[in-house]
Amino acid sequence: MKKYLNASYALYLSLYWMSACFVYGYTRLFLDRLGFSARQVGLVLALDCAAAMVLQPLLARWMEKSDRFTLRHVLLLLCLICLLAGGLLFLPQSRAVFVCLFMVMSIMTMTIQPFTNAVGFERINRGEKLNYAATRGVASLAFALISKAYAALAKVDLDWLLALYLLCTAGILIGSLLLVQRTGEAPKPRARADHGAMLKAYPAFFGMLLGTVLMFFQHGYLDGYLYDVILSVGGDTRELGTALLIGAGVETPMMLLFAFVAKRFGVNRSLRFSAAAMALKTWFILIFRSVWGVYLMRFCHFFSYALLMPSLVYYANERMADSDKVTGQALITGAVSLAGMFSYLTGGLMVSAWGAMRGLLLVTLVGMAGGALFIFFAVKDQK
């Protein structure tokens, strides 16, 4: 397994993001057949994000403080719940039971994310040669490709999408058995007492998390309502497809190059630069008010999201004590989930009340405030 560590971990992350693609991209289709409106679907997703945001740091802290409950146990438990809830969806259910099972499956899938990152950094911290950013780039490519497969299957039968999701989740479970350190192989460092102790130990990190929430509020609006923005500047589904392709196309190369970028400029500088790009990229749309502005914004994905995410993950691994690393990863994902929750709750209301472009202006100002806050604490932390 060590000989093929990068390939096996890339497959492992790919399987996770292939299953996550179903939850993030195709929840609307599944709930549509139950008669849910777009606003109701947004509420379901917001609740999913909120529950995952709470569970991630709680499970991580419990794992780090427990002598018996390990990363391996967390992943196996979450995967088994996903498989059980997803499998039950094939059986005849009332509308209420179906939605509850679907939400349990979705919440557990979202909750898994930081723990898949922890699997890789567990290996890196043991001195094994693993290029996390490159493997994450491969997973992003897998996400884009599986999205096409899900779209094709949706035209045949929605149940095929669920079957493919369950197959990917079963792969995550098997990967967790093969890749994750078994209980007792290495001693656990003692964890801090609670999150308050972590706040005192890493005040700059928590300030950066607040900035992350504000920046990803902007990012979540663009993810959820990009089609409305494109319609506002004269585009349609064709331009939406092109914009999504540009974003996916530039994300993978940056993640493949991240190891070089981090070595050349340092993780802290990468964080500051990507935060600035994240906060300012939507001005291309607001200034040009054309489809080309949307394309330029999506190209900025290369310097913003694709650079920021691996930088945050590496930052938590480098700056935190061994006993706090998994909780740090979970808090990052939790901050992104919190931003997603607010985006789902408020984005539709803004588009309906003010239009997509006015909503975009508001979230851009929020994102700029978040970027400034993030950079301030990143500079403070470097000192």
Side-chain angles (χ1 to χ4, degrees), residues 4-203:
Y4 303 103
L5 180 58
N6 278 287
S8 57
Y9 185 64
L11 175 60
Y12 181 71
L13 278 187
S14 295
L15 287 167
Y16 170 72
W17 284 104
M18 288 159 72
S19 66
C21 179
F22 171 75
V23 171
Y24 289 114
Y26 293 89
T27 293
R28 175 69 185 274
L29 288 178
F30 260 77
L31 297 186
D32 263 352
R33 66 182 181 181
L34 296 178
F36 275 60
S37 67
R39 186 172 295 180
Q40 288 172 325
V41 173
L43 178 60
V44 168
L45 285 169
L47 291 172
D48 290 346
C49 288
M53 176 192 69
V54 172
L55 278 174
Q56 285 161 349
L58 286 179
L59 282 173
R61 211 69 197 138
W62 183 25
M63 183 199 78
E64 287 172 334
K65 293 172 71 174
S66 171
D67 293 328
R68 295 183 179 181
F69 195 60
T70 66
L71 178 59
R72 185 188 183 90
H73 293 140
V74 172
L75 284 163
L76 295 180
L77 175 63
L78 294 174
C79 288
L80 286 171
I81 294 174
C82 288
L83 291 170
L84 178 61
L88 290 173
L89 290 174
F90 284 107
L91 302 177
Q93 309 283 357
S94 68
R95 171 174 162 149
V97 173
F98 186 95
V99 172
C100 287
L101 287 171
F102 194 90
M103 288 184 68
V104 168
M105 183 189 73
S106 301
I107 290 165
M108 296 302 112
T109 302
M110 293 178 179
T111 303
I112 289 171
Q113 184 187 341
F115 300 103
T116 62
N117 293 337
V119 171
F121 281 96
E122 180 184 76
R123 293 300 192 106
I124 291 171
N125 294 333
R126 285 160 59 186
E128 298 180 37
K129 293 183 179 180
L130 173 66
N131 187 334
Y132 169 81
T135 57
R136 180 64 180 82
V138 172
S140 294
L141 182 60
F143 183 98
L145 294 175
I146 202 68
S147 180
K148 296 289 185 182
Y150 280 132
L153 289 172
K155 295 177 182 179
V156 180
D157 190 337
L158 288 178
D159 286 342
W160 283 103
L161 277 73
L162 181 58
L164 182 54
Y165 161 84
L166 292 173
L167 183 64
C168 294
T169 304
I172 301 169
L173 187 147
I174 294 170
S176 299
L177 287 170
L178 296 174
L179 283 171
V180 185
Q181 190 171 308
R182 287 183 176 83
T183 307
E185 285 186 6
K188 277 189 178 182
R190 184 173 294 277
R192 296 181 195 277
D194 52 35
H195 290 105
M198 284 192 69
L199 176 59
K200 292 179 181 179
Y202 313 107

Side-chain angles (χ1 to χ4, degrees), residues 244-262:
L244 292 173
L245 183 62
I246 291 171
V250 300
E251 182 174 320
T252 301
M254 170 50 78
M255 290 189 175
L256 291 172
L257 290 169
F258 179 77
F260 168 78
V261 173

Side-chain angles (χ1 to χ4, degrees), residues 265-343:
F265 300 103
V267 171
N268 192 285
R269 189 175 295 178
S270 298
L271 281 170
R272 285 178 278 155
F273 179 82
S274 58
M278 192 88 168
L280 297 173
K281 64 183 180 181
T282 49
W283 282 105
F284 283 113
I285 305 174
L286 293 167
I287 293 172
F288 293 109
R289 292 185 175 269
S290 69
V291 170
W292 285 102
V294 175
Y295 293 163
L296 285 170
M297 181 276 295
R298 293 294 291 177
F299 180 78
C300 283
H301 213 52
F302 182 84
F303 302 105
S304 55
Y305 177 84
L307 180 58
L308 180 64
M309 289 312 295
S311 297
L312 276 171
V313 172
Y314 271 88
Y315 169 85
N317 189 64
E318 288 181 1
R319 298 291 290 173
M320 292 189 162
D322 289 345
S323 60
D324 300 323
K325 292 181 189 295
V326 179
T327 300
Q329 303 288 353
L331 288 170
I332 291 169
T333 309
V336 175
S337 297
L338 179 63
M341 180 187 73
F342 285 125
S343 295

